[in-house]
Amino acid sequence: MSIMKPTRNLLLVLCPMLVLGFLYYSSGKLHLRVWGQKSQSDVDSSLSVGHQRASVYDKQGFLLKLDGKLPLDLSYKYGNLSEGTCKPGYAAAKMTAIYPKFIKPAPMFLDRNFKRLGKVSNYLPPFGFKTQEKIISDILSLTKNYGLGPELDSMNCKRCIIVGNGGILANKSLGSRIDEYDVVVRLNEAPVTGYVKDVGSKTTIRITYPEGAIQKPERYEKDSLFVFSAFKPLDFKWLRQMVHKEKLRGTEGFWKSVAQHVPKEPSEMRILNPYFIQEAAFQFIGLPLNNGLMGKGNIPTLGTVAITMALHNCDEVAVAGFGYDMNAPHAPLHYYETVKMSAIKESWTHNISKEKEFLRKLVKSRVIADLTNGI
Ligand SMILES: *[C@@H]1O[C@H](CO)[C@@H](O)[C@H](O)[C@H]1NC(C)=O
Ligand SMILES: *[C@@H]1O[C@H](CO)[C@@H](O)[C@H](O)[C@H]1NC(C)=O
Ligand SMILES: *[C@@H]1O[C@H](CO)[C@@H](O)[C@H](O)[C@H]1NC(C)=O
């Protein structure tokens, strides 16, 4: 026992030392190996770090690897909801997952506090309202309503669909599916009467600029909001005259004839927040900034502006009637007229191909659902 004790003590001391020594040795080896690897390919690895950063997000800030899968936190949040249940916050959450810069709050329409909207107060139309403050105040003092209405505003989960005007909507009998959405958004003069089977009968809001507005008063549907989207300063002048029910004076400056009269009460009129034009153009699509002024190919189409609006204000977002099938030159351009696809011209203001790249990202990652698969 008396001999064993020192041996045991020695072992007790030696063992931890061996362990520590081994750990030290192996960590040193590991360390060396790591550094060795690094020093062997210093240039390579710094490149690959830079490459890695660049390869996660694209120039616009969207994830490069897009798929329809739900991130883990979202599948926990939404995975249990049964099919067909509206998922609160879903579109914004999915958008943020592929585009971390996304900040959800952005009111749909301008209200009496519009001057406090920092992001748009310093831009001229169409990207903001600078120089138009007085005329907007005047319009808003008449409309006196700034939301979708009490019923929709109080819903805790809203599903929206943006119905584009594309010929791709024709003969697909999607009307009843479109009508199931809480908010049905239509654009410009796209008709409903005569096309109900394919495009539905419900219109919650119709977003319009002067040249796109329905010209025949009898063609305006009841119960829809007339939502005005301005692309140039002159457009606000037109809206003021429409809200005041004044006879339209001076139509020079419009690129097409405009409606003389909008048969809607001021309380049914809204001004779309111009932030959606700005954000779609410069942030989402990446069109040229051009010092914040309208320039060649830097105006998003109204359809993409409407989708941008919905990402901020709807819990789920779907689209139908978007995109053109370039392989079908004889297909109609619009669902409501016979102008053929082949008539489409390169537009001075829009950049359709860049815009489509953006919309594809939304569809691929299932931020939005595309009922007609045209995007
Ligand atoms: C979803 O269901 C699982 C298993 O039933 C449960 O553990 C989890 O808490 C549920 N998640 C939510 C958000 O309700
Ligand atoms: C849709 O169907 C109608 C009637 O059958 C037909 O005249 C029209 O050409 C079709 N349109 C398209 C785009 O297929
Ligand atoms: C659209 O964008 C692409 C890529 O930035 C550019 O090459 C092209 O000229 C643009 N088209 C128009 C009409 O501005």
Side-chain angles (χ1 to χ4, degrees):
M1 282 298 259
S2 61
I3 302 163
M4 292 243 345
K5 215 170 182 176
T7 319
R8 207 171 68 185
N9 282 346
L10 192 66
L11 277 175
L12 280 175
V13 175
L14 268 176
C15 263
M17 274 182 73
L18 277 173
V19 169
L20 281 173
F22 177 75
L23 281 176
Y24 181 76
Y25 168 77
S26 52
S27 73
K29 263 193 100 161
L30 282 172
H31 212 71
L32 274 176
R33 209 160 61 213
V34 170
W35 280 106
Q37 242 178 15
K38 263 200 179 161
S39 59
Q40 268 166 19
S41 54
D42 234 0
V43 183
D44 271 18
S45 63
S46 68
L47 265 181
S48 87
V49 167
H51 180 71
Q52 214 176 25
R53 201 186 293 145
S55 73
V56 177
Y57 296 105
D58 66 16
K59 231 170 49 201
Q60 251 34 72
F62 286 91
L63 264 189
L64 274 173
K65 262 203 194 147
L66 297 176
D67 57 41
K69 287 197 209 104
L70 272 178
L72 212 59
D73 54 330
L74 295 189
S75 73
Y76 176 77
K77 189 168 177 198
Y78 297 117
N80 290 0
L81 294 177
S82 57
E83 186 98 29
T85 312
C86 184
K87 305 186 220 22
Y90 184 80
K94 284 228 67 172
M95 182 66 176
T96 309
I98 65 159
Y99 181 83
K101 288 188 277 181
F102 188 69
I103 297 168
K104 187 175 183 244
M108 218 178 227
F109 310 126
L110 295 187
D111 62 25
R112 299 302 287 273
N113 294 321
F114 74 97
K115 286 178 195 157
R116 290 188 210 151
L117 297 170
K119 285 171 177 141
V120 270
S121 57
N122 291 322
Y123 283 82
L124 293 165
F127 306 114
F129 52 70
K130 196 175 168 185
T131 69
Q132 304 299 307
E133 292 86 351
K134 263 182 86 172
I135 201 167
I136 293 173
S137 292
D138 173 73
I139 293 166
L140 295 180
S141 68
L142 263 109
T143 65
K144 294 190 177 70
N145 289 269
Y146 318 105
L148 284 172
E151 197 191 327
L152 287 169
D153 288 341
S154 65
M155 283 178 84
N156 77 337
C157 197
K158 273 195 292 293
R159 286 181 157 143
C160 306
I161 186 162
I162 321 297
V163 183
N165 301 352
I168 199 162
L169 257 180
N171 295 350
K172 292 212 166 67
S173 302
L174 283 171
S176 55
R177 269 185 78 190
I178 289 171
D179 283 342
E180 282 171 13
Y181 284 80
D182 304 302
V183 175
V184 178
V185 181
R186 297 188 197 273
L187 308 171
N188 283 327
E189 57 199 331
V192 169
T193 311
Y195 303 90
V196 168
K197 187 157 176 280
D198 289 330
V199 308
S201 59
K202 176 170 167 180
T203 306
T204 317
I205 72 180
R206 186 178 280 279
I207 308 179
T208 298
Y209 46 80
E211 293 90 344
I214 296 173
Q215 300 204 10
K216 290 184 179 147
E218 67 275 14
R219 275 203 35 220
Y220 280 79
E221 63 266 314
K222 283 199 181 69
D223 307 322
S224 74
L225 294 176
F226 178 88
V227 175
F228 174 77
S229 181
F231 283 84
K232 48 191 182 311
L234 180 66
D235 294 354
F236 283 106
K237 284 210 182 77
W238 176 85
L239 181 64
R240 177 161 63 183
Q241 293 175 74
M242 294 302 112
V243 175
H244 282 273
K245 312 273 177 227
E246 285 169 5
K247 192 165 161 37
L248 188 66
R249 287 165 282 129
T251 54
E252 63 273 14
F254 294 112
W255 49 267
K256 185 171 164 280
S257 66
V258 296
Q260 303 285 317
H261 172 62
V262 173
K264 288 275 174 191
E265 291 308 312
S267 61
E268 300 171 301
M269 295 182 170
R270 303 285 184 275
I271 301 176
L272 190 71
N273 185 350
Y275 178 62
F276 307 126
I277 300 181
Q278 182 188 130
E279 186 181 43
F282 306 139
Q283 255 121 110
F284 293 167
I285 311 175
L287 298 175
L289 181 61
N290 193 37
N291 292 322
L293 300 173
M294 181 189 268
K296 185 177 176 291
N298 80 346
I299 309 296
T301 62
L302 194 58
T304 292
V305 172
I307 292 173
T308 303
M309 175 274 284
L311 292 177
H312 287 278
N313 290 285
C314 302
D315 297 277
E316 290 182 26
V317 180
V319 302
F322 275 72
Y324 304 112
D325 185 357
M326 286 300 184
N327 297 320
H330 299 296
L333 183 58
H334 295 135
Y335 69 81
Y336 49 87
E337 52 186 31
T338 51
V339 178
K340 298 274 193 278
M341 277 296 305
S342 46
I344 195 170
K345 286 182 236 105
E346 194 54 50
S347 157
W348 185 83
T349 45
H350 304 310
N351 193 326
I352 301 296
S353 58
K354 278 204 89 155
E355 198 166 309
K356 196 158 176 169
E357 280 173 33
F358 158 59
L359 296 180
R360 281 220 175 102
K361 293 174 199 171
L362 298 185
V363 173
K364 194 167 178 209
S365 55
R366 307 215 183 120
V367 174
I368 64 175
D370 179 13
L371 302 194
T372 38
N373 298 315
I375 291 173

